[in-house]
Amino acid sequence: MNKNKVILVLEDELPLLDAIKSKLAKSGFEVVTARSIEQAKNHIQDVENIDAIWLDHYLLGKENGLDFVAWCKINNDKCDRIPIFVVSNTASPEKVQSYLKFGVEKYYIKAEKRLEEIISDIKSSLFIE
Amino acid sequence: MKIKQKFSLFFSLQLIIMMIVVGLVIIFLSSQVSRSEIIAHLQTTVESRTHHIETYFEQSIERLKMLTSRTKLRELLKNYNQSQGLIDKESMKGIIQDAKMTAADLDQILIIGLDGRVITSTDEDLIGYDFSNQDFFIVGKQTEGVYLLQKPSGEFRIFVFGPLDLNNQLLGVGVMLINLDELDGIISDRTGLGETGEVIVAFYDTNGVRRYPSPRLFESRAIDQSQESVGTALPMKEALKGNHQTFEDILDYRNVRVMAASSYVKIAHLGVVAKMDRSEALAGVNRVGEYFIFISFIFIIIFYFLNYFLSSKLVKPIEILRRGIRIVEGGNLDYKVAIDSQDEIGQLSRSFDQMTQSIKKAYDEVELKVQDQTQQIKESKIELENQQKALLNILEDVEKEKINSESLAKDLEKFKLAVDNASDHIVITDQDGTILYANKGMEKITGFKIKEVLGKKVGSKATWGGLMDSDFYKKMWNTISVKKQVFIGELKNHRKNGVQYETSASISPILNQNGKVVFFVGIERDITKEKEVDRAKTEFVSLASHQLRTPLSSINWYTEMLLAGDAGKINKEQKSYLEEVYKGNKRMVDLVNSLLNVSRLDLGTFIVEPELTDIPPLAISVIDELKPMIAKKQLKVTQQYDKNLPKINVDPKLLRVVFQNLLSNAVKYTPEQGSVVVELHLIKPGQAVGKEKIKVGSLAIIVSDTGFGIPKDQQDKIFVKLFRADNVREKDTEGTGLGLYIVKSIVTQSGGKVWFDSVEDKGTKFYVVIPLSGMKKKEGTKTIG
């Protein structure tokens, strides 16, 4: 582990975003945040070596997480291989199915998961990779 | 003709024929015999007569000899011859007259001198007659002899002559003339000659003419008629030839057929013939024949009647049989002829009886069959009558129907009106989907006019369809046209103005009698608003959950970080407070989840996706989730699952929720070291679960605990939203009060039942029964979970 892993966090709620960012930093990640798809897209373009994406479903702006995943996986060779971890409060199986179909790594329900758990999962999947 | 007569006639005929044959034979033989006998007899007779005559003649010669041997006579003759003395003549006359007296038949005695002249005679007529050229004189000079001759007067006499000689000196010839009486007597001895038989004697006279001196049966005395009769009379010819012959069939002097035997008296050159008329000769035969015929006749008649009588006996059984047959013919099939005898008639009668029996049997069978048939016919007749009645009824009904159909037509009008004006979009197409009819609802919903769509294909962009993908339409077409089933689904269509809308469609094929699709009826309901509402609800819930969960997540994570010491070390008190905060937050999250589920249940927007689910693993995984708490409270959890539980068509997510709630309740509300029993049973129809009898085959889930129980006065509220009983609230356990409401809603939705038994501080037993038919698929927008 020479370099810190870079993780892009997409979350629209500020308090949550701060908590995530803080915990991730404490866990040894470099965190890039975005509150809208647009911002995320920009980050993708700008930041070279994003290792993982933490994605919420509902975001600022018209597009939601699913759109982002679609954009990522379909016609963007920059980020189509970046593992995506969806952390959202909406739990409808259709959404989950849709995300999983696109090939996200995992889907978590925010309210039911501890930060630690999510982060340890991300870590292990990154290291396995 | 009757048999009896036939018999009699037959046998009589036989007899007659036999008799005839026999008769003929007899007659033939007897005639043969007769003839030979008669011939023999005639022969015997003729010989006998001949012999008799010969004897007589010989006797006569002896008589002559006695005379001619008288010495006196001869001396006298000698003297006469010398002297011609009268006294000698007279003395000689005296002697011959004496001699004549000795015999009745001595007619005359003559003494003829050497010159042939009669010297002396007993009668005056022939004295001096010259017999010198007569045979008898000539022969008489030599020896004795007998001739039958005629006196010059014409009378026939037997001339017995012989020489008178003395000392070998011929002196003269002595002649005795014997009358024919004796001869006649001999000849006319008709013994054995029957009626027509006679003996005739004949001789050749000096002129060579045959003479018949004897009395003849058929003509007057021969002497009167000595001339030969007409005819050659062969027998006599032969007789005079000296032939002893027999003649079986010859004509006599009368030209009558006779049988004859000829003989010859040599001495006198007499032919003797014994003859008998053939008719008489054979008369015996004829008589035999006649007798025979007569007897035969009598015999035949007797025989005929005898036969008649006897054949009666024979024929009687036939008569009995015949009568029997008549009786049976007359219809009495029970009558038995039953002739006892062992002969053919008896057998025939028995066979006949058997036949009668068979006929009777057959007749009876036929009777039965006929009865049967008659019965059937009766029944058929009744049936026909009934059918007729039924037909009449039908006709009446048809009349009624006619009236009905008229009113039906009116009703139909009403229905058409109803359909026309229904708010739903109703369309009828042919089997190819060409629109034949559309109602006003279609106009309202799609914006197309009826005129515009008639004749067009449904599902095309030209009308309101064509927005779904081709697979969808293919599946729909397959269901309605190939599988010929009703298709129910949701479509997106577009109005004439292009605006899209959603419908809930039900498309039904209409089949004809051969099962071929002839029409489709499509009914669509514009569910755009509903959908929108649904979506809105879903969105609301979604959003609500999101909005509610976000702050909760925030609290969750920050508390987490604080507890983890990410903001600095915390003391015990701080830790415990923070833990309380964390716990409280958790409860909120649970509550929010439950509320969301409840709201979905209430809103009916949840999805039911049944799949064949193996139940025990589901229960086991839920128990696993609770393992931390179970371990912490040291609870004994027993699992009793029926072996071979079938998989059931349930939505595993929903069933999981049921298990989660029941099990978490059991674990939560049981004090430490208590026990929880989880049972899964297959229930047969009619079996009881607890106190409830279950009608259909079902799955029973029983969760029992030794927990706090539910107070009796609060048991009725247990399933109420947010309700928590006092006893558990006192005990400070956590709970939303929504769990059982959710369980009840899910179970009821699945067609099942949930109930419980509970005693406070003893324990609770919850029963959930779900029918094996499982949950029905439900379209919705959200899952419960």
PDB file of all heavy atoms in Angstrom, chain B residues 178-208:
ATOM      1  N   ILE B 178    -121.714-164.785 -82.460  1.00  0.00           N
ATOM      2  CA  ILE B 178    -122.011-164.234 -81.140  1.00  0.00           C
ATOM      3  C   ILE B 178    -122.448-162.808 -81.330  1.00  0.00           C
ATOM      4  O   ILE B 178    -121.873-162.072 -82.117  1.00  0.00           O
ATOM      5  CB  ILE B 178    -120.757-164.331 -80.238  1.00  0.00           C
ATOM      6  CG1 ILE B 178    -120.354-165.791 -80.106  1.00  0.00           C
ATOM      7  CG2 ILE B 178    -121.032-163.717 -78.871  1.00  0.00           C
ATOM      8  CD1 ILE B 178    -119.073-166.040 -79.386  1.00  0.00           C
ATOM      9  N   ASN B 179    -123.465-162.501 -80.558  1.00  0.00           N
ATOM     10  CA  ASN B 179    -123.881-161.108 -80.719  1.00  0.00           C
ATOM     11  C   ASN B 179    -122.912-160.210 -79.988  1.00  0.00           C
ATOM     12  O   ASN B 179    -122.035-160.662 -79.267  1.00  0.00           O
ATOM     13  CB  ASN B 179    -125.313-160.882 -80.239  1.00  0.00           C
ATOM     14  CG  ASN B 179    -125.465-161.120 -78.738  1.00  0.00           C
ATOM     15  OD1 ASN B 179    -124.475-161.128 -77.979  1.00  0.00           O
ATOM     16  ND2 ASN B 179    -126.651-161.386 -78.316  1.00  0.00           N
ATOM     17  N   LEU B 180    -123.123-158.966 -80.268  1.00  0.00           N
ATOM     18  CA  LEU B 180    -122.137-158.013 -79.807  1.00  0.00           C
ATOM     19  C   LEU B 180    -122.416-157.535 -78.399  1.00  0.00           C
ATOM     20  O   LEU B 180    -121.718-156.631 -77.919  1.00  0.00           O
ATOM     21  CB  LEU B 180    -122.087-156.807 -80.758  1.00  0.00           C
ATOM     22  CG  LEU B 180    -121.647-157.132 -82.183  1.00  0.00           C
ATOM     23  CD1 LEU B 180    -121.700-155.893 -83.070  1.00  0.00           C
ATOM     24  CD2 LEU B 180    -120.244-157.723 -82.205  1.00  0.00           C
ATOM     25  N   ASP B 181    -123.384-158.112 -77.750  1.00  0.00           N
ATOM     26  CA  ASP B 181    -123.704-157.564 -76.416  1.00  0.00           C
ATOM     27  C   ASP B 181    -122.528-157.610 -75.474  1.00  0.00           C
ATOM     28  O   ASP B 181    -122.216-156.595 -74.823  1.00  0.00           O
ATOM     29  CB  ASP B 181    -124.883-158.351 -75.808  1.00  0.00           C
ATOM     30  CG  ASP B 181    -126.176-158.062 -76.535  1.00  0.00           C
ATOM     31  OD1 ASP B 181    -126.192-157.046 -77.305  1.00  0.00           O
ATOM     32  OD2 ASP B 181    -127.150-158.772 -76.323  1.00  0.00           O
ATOM     33  N   GLU B 182    -121.954-158.734 -75.395  1.00  0.00           N
ATOM     34  CA  GLU B 182    -120.788-158.877 -74.521  1.00  0.00           C
ATOM     35  C   GLU B 182    -119.712-157.902 -74.947  1.00  0.00           C
ATOM     36  O   GLU B 182    -119.152-157.210 -74.093  1.00  0.00           O
ATOM     37  CB  GLU B 182    -120.274-160.322 -74.603  1.00  0.00           C
ATOM     38  CG  GLU B 182    -119.130-160.614 -73.621  1.00  0.00           C
ATOM     39  CD  GLU B 182    -119.644-161.016 -72.226  1.00  0.00           C
ATOM     40  OE1 GLU B 182    -120.825-161.331 -72.042  1.00  0.00           O
ATOM     41  OE2 GLU B 182    -118.817-160.950 -71.253  1.00  0.00           O
ATOM     42  N   LEU B 183    -119.481-157.936 -76.202  1.00  0.00           N
ATOM     43  CA  LEU B 183    -118.449-157.009 -76.697  1.00  0.00           C
ATOM     44  C   LEU B 183    -118.840-155.588 -76.397  1.00  0.00           C
ATOM     45  O   LEU B 183    -117.997-154.779 -75.931  1.00  0.00           O
ATOM     46  CB  LEU B 183    -118.271-157.212 -78.216  1.00  0.00           C
ATOM     47  CG  LEU B 183    -117.094-156.406 -78.843  1.00  0.00           C
ATOM     48  CD1 LEU B 183    -115.763-156.898 -78.305  1.00  0.00           C
ATOM     49  CD2 LEU B 183    -117.123-156.554 -80.370  1.00  0.00           C
ATOM     50  N   ASP B 184    -120.081-155.360 -76.709  1.00  0.00           N
ATOM     51  CA  ASP B 184    -120.563-154.022 -76.386  1.00  0.00           C
ATOM     52  C   ASP B 184    -120.335-153.717 -74.927  1.00  0.00           C
ATOM     53  O   ASP B 184    -119.903-152.608 -74.567  1.00  0.00           O
ATOM     54  CB  ASP B 184    -122.060-153.889 -76.707  1.00  0.00           C
ATOM     55  CG  ASP B 184    -122.296-153.637 -78.201  1.00  0.00           C
ATOM     56  OD1 ASP B 184    -121.305-153.337 -78.903  1.00  0.00           O
ATOM     57  OD2 ASP B 184    -123.451-153.674 -78.629  1.00  0.00           O
ATOM     58  N   GLY B 185    -120.678-154.709 -74.114  1.00  0.00           N
ATOM     59  CA  GLY B 185    -120.482-154.504 -72.693  1.00  0.00           C
ATOM     60  C   GLY B 185    -119.056-154.164 -72.364  1.00  0.00           C
ATOM     61  O   GLY B 185    -118.779-153.212 -71.602  1.00  0.00           O
ATOM     62  N   ILE B 186    -118.189-154.920 -72.967  1.00  0.00           N
ATOM     63  CA  ILE B 186    -116.784-154.616 -72.703  1.00  0.00           C
ATOM     64  C   ILE B 186    -116.449-153.223 -73.180  1.00  0.00           C
ATOM     65  O   ILE B 186    -115.803-152.443 -72.461  1.00  0.00           O
ATOM     66  CB  ILE B 186    -115.862-155.642 -73.421  1.00  0.00           C
ATOM     67  CG1 ILE B 186    -116.075-157.019 -72.820  1.00  0.00           C
ATOM     68  CG2 ILE B 186    -114.396-155.226 -73.279  1.00  0.00           C
ATOM     69  CD1 ILE B 186    -115.424-158.131 -73.603  1.00  0.00           C
ATOM     70  N   ILE B 187    -116.892-153.022 -74.400  1.00  0.00           N
ATOM     71  CA  ILE B 187    -116.510-151.744 -74.997  1.00  0.00           C
ATOM     72  C   ILE B 187    -117.146-150.588 -74.258  1.00  0.00           C
ATOM     73  O   ILE B 187    -116.512-149.547 -74.038  1.00  0.00           O
ATOM     74  CB  ILE B 187    -116.878-151.729 -76.489  1.00  0.00           C
ATOM     75  CG1 ILE B 187    -115.990-152.702 -77.237  1.00  0.00           C
ATOM     76  CG2 ILE B 187    -116.745-150.315 -77.074  1.00  0.00           C
ATOM     77  CD1 ILE B 187    -116.469-152.997 -78.629  1.00  0.00           C
ATOM     78  N   SER B 188    -118.371-150.848 -73.921  1.00  0.00           N
ATOM     79  CA  SER B 188    -119.040-149.717 -73.283  1.00  0.00           C
ATOM     80  C   SER B 188    -118.809-149.637 -71.783  1.00  0.00           C
ATOM     81  O   SER B 188    -119.436-148.822 -71.101  1.00  0.00           O
ATOM     82  CB  SER B 188    -120.530-149.740 -73.615  1.00  0.00           C
ATOM     83  OG  SER B 188    -121.049-151.022 -73.394  1.00  0.00           O
ATOM     84  N   ASP B 189    -117.917-150.417 -71.326  1.00  0.00           N
ATOM     85  CA  ASP B 189    -117.475-150.220 -69.943  1.00  0.00           C
ATOM     86  C   ASP B 189    -116.713-148.881 -69.885  1.00  0.00           C
ATOM     87  O   ASP B 189    -115.632-148.753 -70.414  1.00  0.00           O
ATOM     88  CB  ASP B 189    -116.579-151.378 -69.523  1.00  0.00           C
ATOM     89  CG  ASP B 189    -116.111-151.187 -68.096  1.00  0.00           C
ATOM     90  OD1 ASP B 189    -116.524-150.181 -67.386  1.00  0.00           O
ATOM     91  OD2 ASP B 189    -115.274-151.980 -67.627  1.00  0.00           O
ATOM     92  N   ARG B 190    -117.409-147.989 -69.280  1.00  0.00           N
ATOM     93  CA  ARG B 190    -116.836-146.654 -69.357  1.00  0.00           C
ATOM     94  C   ARG B 190    -116.134-146.250 -68.072  1.00  0.00           C
ATOM     95  O   ARG B 190    -115.944-145.047 -67.790  1.00  0.00           O
ATOM     96  CB  ARG B 190    -117.919-145.652 -69.743  1.00  0.00           C
ATOM     97  CG  ARG B 190    -118.555-145.992 -71.067  1.00  0.00           C
ATOM     98  CD  ARG B 190    -119.477-144.916 -71.593  1.00  0.00           C
ATOM     99  NE  ARG B 190    -118.746-143.681 -71.797  1.00  0.00           N
ATOM    100  CZ  ARG B 190    -118.815-142.658 -70.978  1.00  0.00           C
ATOM    101  NH1 ARG B 190    -119.609-142.659 -69.933  1.00  0.00           N
ATOM    102  NH2 ARG B 190    -118.078-141.608 -71.224  1.00  0.00           N
ATOM    103  N   THR B 191    -115.735-147.228 -67.303  1.00  0.00           N
ATOM    104  CA  THR B 191    -115.004-146.873 -66.077  1.00  0.00           C
ATOM    105  C   THR B 191    -113.724-146.129 -66.423  1.00  0.00           C
ATOM    106  O   THR B 191    -112.978-146.532 -67.285  1.00  0.00           O
ATOM    107  CB  THR B 191    -114.603-148.126 -65.286  1.00  0.00           C
ATOM    108  OG1 THR B 191    -114.671-149.230 -66.158  1.00  0.00           O
ATOM    109  CG2 THR B 191    -115.483-148.338 -64.105  1.00  0.00           C
ATOM    110  N   GLY B 192    -113.584-145.122 -65.725  1.00  0.00           N
ATOM    111  CA  GLY B 192    -112.376-144.314 -65.887  1.00  0.00           C
ATOM    112  C   GLY B 192    -112.355-143.492 -67.145  1.00  0.00           C
ATOM    113  O   GLY B 192    -111.314-142.960 -67.527  1.00  0.00           O
ATOM    114  N   LEU B 193    -113.490-143.461 -67.806  1.00  0.00           N
ATOM    115  CA  LEU B 193    -113.484-142.697 -69.042  1.00  0.00           C
ATOM    116  C   LEU B 193    -114.261-141.400 -68.911  1.00  0.00           C
ATOM    117  O   LEU B 193    -114.470-140.698 -69.889  1.00  0.00           O
ATOM    118  CB  LEU B 193    -114.051-143.543 -70.184  1.00  0.00           C
ATOM    119  CG  LEU B 193    -113.171-144.724 -70.596  1.00  0.00           C
ATOM    120  CD1 LEU B 193    -113.894-145.614 -71.600  1.00  0.00           C
ATOM    121  CD2 LEU B 193    -111.844-144.252 -71.191  1.00  0.00           C
ATOM    122  N   GLY B 194    -114.657-141.121 -67.724  1.00  0.00           N
ATOM    123  CA  GLY B 194    -115.293-139.835 -67.503  1.00  0.00           C
ATOM    124  C   GLY B 194    -116.567-139.682 -68.301  1.00  0.00           C
ATOM    125  O   GLY B 194    -117.323-140.638 -68.472  1.00  0.00           O
ATOM    126  N   GLU B 195    -116.719-138.509 -68.778  1.00  0.00           N
ATOM    127  CA  GLU B 195    -117.927-138.156 -69.501  1.00  0.00           C
ATOM    128  C   GLU B 195    -117.790-138.377 -70.994  1.00  0.00           C
ATOM    129  O   GLU B 195    -118.712-138.840 -71.652  1.00  0.00           O
ATOM    130  CB  GLU B 195    -118.288-136.680 -69.260  1.00  0.00           C
ATOM    131  CG  GLU B 195    -118.577-136.333 -67.816  1.00  0.00           C
ATOM    132  CD  GLU B 195    -119.970-136.795 -67.459  1.00  0.00           C
ATOM    133  OE1 GLU B 195    -120.886-136.501 -68.247  1.00  0.00           O
ATOM    134  OE2 GLU B 195    -120.113-137.445 -66.395  1.00  0.00           O
ATOM    135  N   THR B 196    -116.660-137.977 -71.446  1.00  0.00           N
ATOM    136  CA  THR B 196    -116.490-137.979 -72.904  1.00  0.00           C
ATOM    137  C   THR B 196    -115.607-139.131 -73.389  1.00  0.00           C
ATOM    138  O   THR B 196    -115.366-139.292 -74.583  1.00  0.00           O
ATOM    139  CB  THR B 196    -115.845-136.662 -73.391  1.00  0.00           C
ATOM    140  OG1 THR B 196    -114.543-136.567 -72.781  1.00  0.00           O
ATOM    141  CG2 THR B 196    -116.671-135.459 -72.963  1.00  0.00           C
ATOM    142  N   GLY B 197    -115.102-139.875 -72.432  1.00  0.00           N
ATOM    143  CA  GLY B 197    -114.203-140.939 -72.845  1.00  0.00           C
ATOM    144  C   GLY B 197    -114.966-142.136 -73.391  1.00  0.00           C
ATOM    145  O   GLY B 197    -116.056-142.447 -72.926  1.00  0.00           O
ATOM    146  N   GLU B 198    -114.450-142.730 -74.398  1.00  0.00           N
ATOM    147  CA  GLU B 198    -115.076-143.958 -74.929  1.00  0.00           C
ATOM    148  C   GLU B 198    -114.012-144.818 -75.563  1.00  0.00           C
ATOM    149  O   GLU B 198    -112.927-144.344 -75.935  1.00  0.00           O
ATOM    150  CB  GLU B 198    -116.195-143.634 -75.920  1.00  0.00           C
ATOM    151  CG  GLU B 198    -115.716-142.945 -77.204  1.00  0.00           C
ATOM    152  CD  GLU B 198    -116.824-142.779 -78.227  1.00  0.00           C
ATOM    153  OE1 GLU B 198    -117.937-143.287 -78.005  1.00  0.00           O
ATOM    154  OE2 GLU B 198    -116.559-142.143 -79.260  1.00  0.00           O
ATOM    155  N   VAL B 199    -114.440-146.086 -75.653  1.00  0.00           N
ATOM    156  CA  VAL B 199    -113.585-147.038 -76.397  1.00  0.00           C
ATOM    157  C   VAL B 199    -114.308-147.370 -77.683  1.00  0.00           C
ATOM    158  O   VAL B 199    -115.500-147.679 -77.672  1.00  0.00           O
ATOM    159  CB  VAL B 199    -113.331-148.297 -75.558  1.00  0.00           C
ATOM    160  CG1 VAL B 199    -112.533-149.314 -76.343  1.00  0.00           C
ATOM    161  CG2 VAL B 199    -112.615-147.924 -74.265  1.00  0.00           C
ATOM    162  N   ILE B 200    -113.592-147.258 -78.694  1.00  0.00           N
ATOM    163  CA  ILE B 200    -114.190-147.677 -79.972  1.00  0.00           C
ATOM    164  C   ILE B 200    -113.345-148.758 -80.611  1.00  0.00           C
ATOM    165  O   ILE B 200    -112.123-148.806 -80.437  1.00  0.00           O
ATOM    166  CB  ILE B 200    -114.380-146.501 -80.935  1.00  0.00           C
ATOM    167  CG1 ILE B 200    -113.097-145.648 -81.015  1.00  0.00           C
ATOM    168  CG2 ILE B 200    -115.552-145.632 -80.513  1.00  0.00           C
ATOM    169  CD1 ILE B 200    -113.201-144.584 -82.078  1.00  0.00           C
ATOM    170  N   VAL B 201    -114.114-149.555 -81.254  1.00  0.00           N
ATOM    171  CA  VAL B 201    -113.494-150.724 -81.916  1.00  0.00           C
ATOM    172  C   VAL B 201    -113.821-150.634 -83.387  1.00  0.00           C
ATOM    173  O   VAL B 201    -114.939-150.311 -83.772  1.00  0.00           O
ATOM    174  CB  VAL B 201    -114.045-151.999 -81.280  1.00  0.00           C
ATOM    175  CG1 VAL B 201    -113.716-153.226 -82.101  1.00  0.00           C
ATOM    176  CG2 VAL B 201    -113.487-152.134 -79.874  1.00  0.00           C
ATOM    177  N   ALA B 202    -112.885-150.984 -84.168  1.00  0.00           N
ATOM    178  CA  ALA B 202    -113.140-150.953 -85.610  1.00  0.00           C
ATOM    179  C   ALA B 202    -112.369-152.038 -86.317  1.00  0.00           C
ATOM    180  O   ALA B 202    -111.415-152.573 -85.791  1.00  0.00           O
ATOM    181  CB  ALA B 202    -112.750-149.588 -86.174  1.00  0.00           C
ATOM    182  N   PHE B 203    -112.867-152.360 -87.512  1.00  0.00           N
ATOM    183  CA  PHE B 203    -112.171-153.380 -88.326  1.00  0.00           C
ATOM    184  C   PHE B 203    -112.369-153.040 -89.787  1.00  0.00           C
ATOM    185  O   PHE B 203    -113.271-152.301 -90.136  1.00  0.00           O
ATOM    186  CB  PHE B 203    -112.698-154.776 -88.001  1.00  0.00           C
ATOM    187  CG  PHE B 203    -114.119-154.950 -88.398  1.00  0.00           C
ATOM    188  CD1 PHE B 203    -114.482-155.429 -89.677  1.00  0.00           C
ATOM    189  CD2 PHE B 203    -115.160-154.611 -87.518  1.00  0.00           C
ATOM    190  CE1 PHE B 203    -115.808-155.581 -90.028  1.00  0.00           C
ATOM    191  CE2 PHE B 203    -116.486-154.770 -87.893  1.00  0.00           C
ATOM    192  CZ  PHE B 203    -116.826-155.260 -89.125  1.00  0.00           C
ATOM    193  N   TYR B 204    -111.494-153.581 -90.517  1.00  0.00           N
ATOM    194  CA  TYR B 204    -111.644-153.432 -91.981  1.00  0.00           C
ATOM    195  C   TYR B 204    -112.563-154.528 -92.460  1.00  0.00           C
ATOM    196  O   TYR B 204    -112.354-155.695 -92.230  1.00  0.00           O
ATOM    197  CB  TYR B 204    -110.285-153.544 -92.661  1.00  0.00           C
ATOM    198  CG  TYR B 204    -109.422-152.305 -92.593  1.00  0.00           C
ATOM    199  CD1 TYR B 204    -108.194-152.344 -91.920  1.00  0.00           C
ATOM    200  CD2 TYR B 204    -109.848-151.121 -93.202  1.00  0.00           C
ATOM    201  CE1 TYR B 204    -107.405-151.233 -91.870  1.00  0.00           C
ATOM    202  CE2 TYR B 204    -109.051-149.984 -93.128  1.00  0.00           C
ATOM    203  CZ  TYR B 204    -107.802-150.025 -92.463  1.00  0.00           C
ATOM    204  OH  TYR B 204    -107.034-148.917 -92.413  1.00  0.00           O
ATOM    205  N   ASP B 205    -113.574-154.115 -93.135  1.00  0.00           N
ATOM    206  CA  ASP B 205    -114.417-155.196 -93.693  1.00  0.00           C
ATOM    207  C   ASP B 205    -113.826-155.702 -95.000  1.00  0.00           C
ATOM    208  O   ASP B 205    -112.729-155.274 -95.386  1.00  0.00           O
ATOM    209  CB  ASP B 205    -115.858-154.694 -93.865  1.00  0.00           C
ATOM    210  CG  ASP B 205    -115.972-153.664 -94.988  1.00  0.00           C
ATOM    211  OD1 ASP B 205    -114.944-153.349 -95.667  1.00  0.00           O
ATOM    212  OD2 ASP B 205    -117.075-153.093 -95.156  1.00  0.00           O
ATOM    213  N   THR B 206    -114.588-156.554 -95.595  1.00  0.00           N
ATOM    214  CA  THR B 206    -114.049-157.191 -96.794  1.00  0.00           C
ATOM    215  C   THR B 206    -113.757-156.195 -97.891  1.00  0.00           C
ATOM    216  O   THR B 206    -112.922-156.442 -98.766  1.00  0.00           O
ATOM    217  CB  THR B 206    -115.037-158.255 -97.358  1.00  0.00           C
ATOM    218  OG1 THR B 206    -116.346-157.684 -97.322  1.00  0.00           O
ATOM    219  CG2 THR B 206    -115.007-159.494 -96.491  1.00  0.00           C
ATOM    220  N   ASN B 207    -114.402-155.061 -97.817  1.00  0.00           N
ATOM    221  CA  ASN B 207    -114.151-154.069 -98.846  1.00  0.00           C
ATOM    222  C   ASN B 207    -113.082-153.091 -98.443  1.00  0.00           C
ATOM    223  O   ASN B 207    -112.808-152.145 -99.158  1.00  0.00           O
ATOM    224  CB  ASN B 207    -115.433-153.309 -99.198  1.00  0.00           C
ATOM    225  CG  ASN B 207    -116.491-154.215 -99.728  1.00  0.00           C
ATOM    226  OD1 ASN B 207    -116.158-155.207-100.419  1.00  0.00           O
ATOM    227  ND2 ASN B 207    -117.744-153.968 -99.449  1.00  0.00           N
ATOM    228  N   GLY B 208    -112.479-153.347 -97.222  1.00  0.00           N
ATOM    229  CA  GLY B 208    -111.418-152.494 -96.755  1.00  0.00           C
ATOM    230  C   GLY B 208    -111.900-151.224 -96.121  1.00  0.00           C
ATOM    231  O   GLY B 208    -111.155-150.264 -95.992  1.00  0.00           O
TER     232      GLY B 208
END
